[in-house]
Amino acid sequence: MVVVLTGGMPGVQQTFAQSLGPNFDAQVHLLPEGKTSDFGVGTDIIAGHDLPERMQIFGSLGHVYVCIEGGPGVAKEAKQAFERGAKVLPIMSTGGASSGMFDFPQGALEKPDFVTDYQWSMMKAQGDPDATASAMTDVIFGIAGKQTEALESMEGQVSGVYWSL
């Protein structure tokens, strides 16, 4: 199962969540106390007392992080996730943290083995967001497929496993 986690922020996160729509049941928006996403889709979950605590929690949960643009906060979450072994996939063409600014993890800016040369070029190329989105979808489905195969090979040995994006 793929669970999409967002930080509940307006802009790209809101557009992405609303594009998935109400039929994609596994959307979770992690927010600090007293905040709501107002996305109209998915489930808001309180994760921390304030934004720094929410960011700490967010950076410790996912297996795959897709980073689009972003500032120092995105870079901090990506660094935390990358350092603990999560797959961090920056859409470098969007600039900001995802292009290497704000102490974004340098290792995440190097092509991983599970990404094809074409997919990597789409993460770096400007001008064709549909091709970039398609390439990212292929990467994520590839990762999810490998995770599913690994879990199936351990059938009966593992319980309570979830997979998040």
Side-chain angles (χ1 to χ4, degrees):
M1 171 184 209
V2 174
V3 176
V4 173
L5 299 174
T6 77
M9 305 289 281
V12 171
Q13 293 179 28
Q14 182 173 9
T15 300
F16 179 73
Q18 291 173 338
S19 295
L20 288 174
N23 293 328
F24 190 93
D25 295 332
Q27 287 191 57
V28 175
H29 314 297
L30 301 178
L31 297 144
E33 260 181 51
K35 301 290 183 182
T36 61
S37 71
D38 296 322
F39 288 1
V41 294
T43 303
D44 288 357
I45 294 180
I46 301 305
H49 297 290
D50 54 21
L51 185 59
E53 191 172 355
R54 195 278 302 156
M55 290 171 61
Q56 174 71 27
I57 293 166
F58 188 83
S60 66
L61 290 177
H63 299 307
V64 179
Y65 289 76
V66 177
C67 300
I68 300 171
E69 196 178 39
V74 167
K76 185 176 181 178
E77 290 169 336
K79 186 174 183 179
Q80 178 186 345
F82 188 77
E83 287 176 351
R84 68 174 179 76
K87 293 167 177 49
V88 175
L89 304 171
I91 308 300
M92 294 163 277
S93 62
T94 61
S98 297
S99 68
M101 296 175 68
F102 310 113
D103 200 26
F104 194 85
Q106 290 302 302
L109 298 170
E110 298 171 8
K111 185 181 100 46
D113 294 341
F114 59 87
V115 174
T116 68
D117 288 339
Y118 172 75
Q119 292 164 336
W120 190 248
S121 72
M122 290 295 95
M123 292 167 69
K124 294 165 74 172
Q126 292 185 337
D128 194 349
D130 290 336
T132 300
S134 178
M136 290 309 303
T137 300
D138 291 345
V139 170
I140 292 165
F141 282 137
I143 294 168
K146 287 183 177 134
Q147 182 73 16
T148 300
E149 289 172 14
L151 290 174
E152 286 173 352
S153 72
M154 297 170 26
E155 189 172 338
Q157 300 173 34
V158 178
S159 64
V161 175
Y162 71 94
W163 209 81
S164 61
L165 163 67

